[in-house]
Amino acid sequence: MENIAGKNVSLRWLLNIAVLVLVLLWTIPTIGLLVSSFRDREQLQTSGWWTALTASEQRWAARTGLPDTAEENGGTWVLSGNVFGDDAAGGEIIAFGTSPVDPSAFAAGDTAPMAVGELTVQADGSYELTAPQPFSEPQVVQGDTATDAPPERGLRIFLTSTQPPDFTTGNYGTVLSADGMGRAFLNTLTVAIPATVIPILIAAYAAYALSWMAFPGRSLLIAAVVGLLVVPLQLSLIPLLQLHNAVGLGRGYIGVWLAHTGFGLPLAIYLLRNYMVGLPREVIESARVDGATDFEIFRKIILPLCLPALAAFGIFQFLWTWNDLLVAKVFLGTSNSEMVMTGRIVELLGSRGNNWELLTAAAFISMIVPLIVFFSLQRYFVRGLLAGSVKGG
């Protein structure tokens, strides 16, 4: 007994350190996801979230003014402006170049020789392009990768700058206003709520029978339930879909509810049975002596006492069905009217998966409902998980 954590000082410290490590492992990525959801695409691609409060280095390109905006000053034609435009807090230029091959060829303040003159870019973003003769359009557009650049464009300047910290709520606005997101939210609720309630109802009856009703083969059924816990659901997706098609269910809400119920029942029965078997036998036998039937015992005694276990499994099942993508795609479909939130979020990423800022914002939006469910039932969560961990029947 003296080696139990809580009584032994060294074991208690080891337990506290392990809990702290687990908390950090879960919390730090979540904080990073939250910070990233308020950053724009350029910042996400050039620096990590842990540098969000400091200036970040970025490489980008800007264009000079049009040739007809150049002014003559003492026999020299000058084309000037600022690469940051009207953004006074745009950042600080570190280096610049006129070719994408070497975008940092010159430091800020240096003068870069050009075919038609010279280019100078200062740290504050102001630039000056000078030439002894008026600029012509082919001269100004030199440096473009395309040889047939539109004549209304100026010279492209490749820049390396430090950008101050910048946060935006635009990512959340883009996700919330995305086409079909509201419909996907309702579809997800339509899938998750019945797919959580149905297995709880079935598993509660089954767990009571396996715990307090004597019948031949009960031990084999318990062993079968334990065995089903380790069966990967991917093995049964195609056969189950073929069965649905054969009986006329096809793809739809009934099919996905039944699929989630089947996949969730082994864990639900196992969890609830372990909890029910630990309830006081004297209470149930006294009810039987008083003439109560099994259904009355189940409804008036077992269900109220099993609330922690029911809530614990409800959290697990709701989180799984809410975040599911695979089962929904197989049994519900991928059309706009059938798509769930996880499928819609995948589409927001684009064909090349570059829109990370939208993914981070969408992840937090999709977490809102599961967090509400978890915090509303959390007081039952630990008691439900520990059900049957010490005592079993």
Side-chain angles (χ1 to χ4, degrees):
M1 294 294 291
E2 61 184 7
N3 291 328
I4 296 176
K7 295 182 179 294
N8 189 303
V9 176
S10 59
L11 289 179
R12 186 168 57 191
W13 273 102
L14 184 62
L15 176 63
N16 292 335
I17 292 173
V19 172
L20 179 62
V21 170
L22 290 176
V23 170
L24 292 177
L25 286 176
W26 280 101
T27 305
I28 290 178
T30 305
I31 295 175
L33 194 66
L34 176 63
V35 174
S36 298
S37 67
F38 289 101
R39 307 182 75 198
D40 58 30
R41 178 189 303 180
E42 288 74 18
Q43 290 183 334
L44 281 179
Q45 292 178 346
T46 56
S47 61
W49 64 269
W50 52 90
T51 63
L53 297 178
T54 60
S56 60
E57 184 175 306
Q58 296 184 14
R59 288 185 175 182
W60 49 292
R63 289 185 182 275
T64 65
L66 298 177
D68 55 5
T69 61
E71 298 179 352
E72 185 179 8
N73 185 6
T76 302
W77 289 88
V78 180
L79 192 61
S80 61
N82 194 300
V83 294
F84 293 121
D86 298 331
D87 186 6
E92 180 180 356
I93 300 298
I94 300 175
F96 70 98
T98 58
S99 170
V101 178
D102 192 4
S104 303
F106 305 96
D110 290 351
T111 299
M114 308 284 295
V116 295
E118 295 178 334
L119 172 66
T120 303
V121 180
Q122 303 295 337
D124 61 358
S126 61
Y127 67 86
E128 192 174 81
L129 179 61
T130 61
Q133 69 278 348
F135 295 104
S136 61
E137 291 170 353
Q139 291 170 341
V140 175
V141 299
Q142 70 174 342
D144 285 350
T145 54
T147 57
D148 56 350
E152 66 272 13
R153 294 181 179 178
L155 172 67
R156 177 177 291 180
I157 309 174
F158 297 91
L159 303 155
T160 302
S161 66
T162 56
Q163 302 291 332
D166 184 26
F167 297 96
T168 177
T169 58
N171 301 332
Y172 286 92
T174 302
V175 173
L176 292 174
S177 61
D179 185 31
M181 185 57 72
R183 177 68 181 179
F185 179 80
L186 295 178
N187 289 344
T188 307
L189 279 179
T190 307
V191 171
I193 294 176
T196 302
V197 175
I198 295 174
I200 288 178
L201 292 177
I202 299 175
Y205 285 110
Y208 174 77
L210 293 175
S211 302
W212 296 107
M213 296 177 68
F215 56 89
R218 188 178 70 166
S219 299
L220 290 178
L221 284 178
I222 296 173
V225 169
V226 175
L228 288 173
L229 288 173
V230 297
V231 176
L233 67 88
Q234 292 85 352
L235 292 177
S236 57
L237 286 177
I238 300 305
L240 194 56
L241 180 60
Q242 291 176 337
L243 176 62
H244 284 193
N245 292 331
V247 300
L249 284 178
R251 287 182 168 182
Y253 287 112
I254 296 179
V256 75
W257 293 340
L258 293 178
H260 278 304
T261 299
F263 296 139
L265 270 180
L267 177 61
I269 296 174
Y270 177 78
L271 192 66
L272 294 177
R273 186 261 173 189
N274 280 355
Y275 191 90
M276 290 181 185
V277 82
L279 296 176
R281 178 181 296 273
E282 295 78 9
V283 175
I284 298 172
E285 291 184 347
S286 298
R288 284 177 174 159
V289 170
D290 292 339
T293 63
D294 282 317
F295 181 73
E296 289 174 332
I297 296 173
F298 174 78
R299 183 170 59 87
K300 296 181 179 180
I301 298 177
I302 299 296
L303 277 185
L305 293 177
C306 290
L307 190 58
L310 295 173
F313 174 73
I315 292 174
F316 274 128
Q317 182 72 0
F318 186 84
L319 294 181
W320 177 45
T321 54
W322 182 270
N323 296 317
D324 169 68
L325 175 62
L326 178 62
V327 177
K329 274 197 167 185
V330 173
F331 293 96
L332 192 59
T334 57
S335 65
N336 290 330
S337 61
E338 300 168 333
M339 193 170 293
V340 294
M341 281 193 69
T342 48
R344 185 63 64 187
I345 291 172
V346 171
E347 288 197 343
L348 289 177
L349 287 176
S351 58
R352 297 183 179 180
N354 294 330
N355 300 329
W356 295 358
E357 73 283 359
L358 299 182
L359 177 63
T360 55
F364 261 86
I365 292 174
S366 67
M367 287 168 57
I368 294 175
V369 174
L371 284 177
I372 294 174
V373 173
F374 177 79
F375 285 115
S376 62
L377 300 176
Q378 64 168 336
R379 64 182 184 276
Y380 303 114
F381 190 65
V382 175
R383 279 194 291 164
L385 287 182
L386 294 178
S389 59
V390 177
K391 181 179 179 182

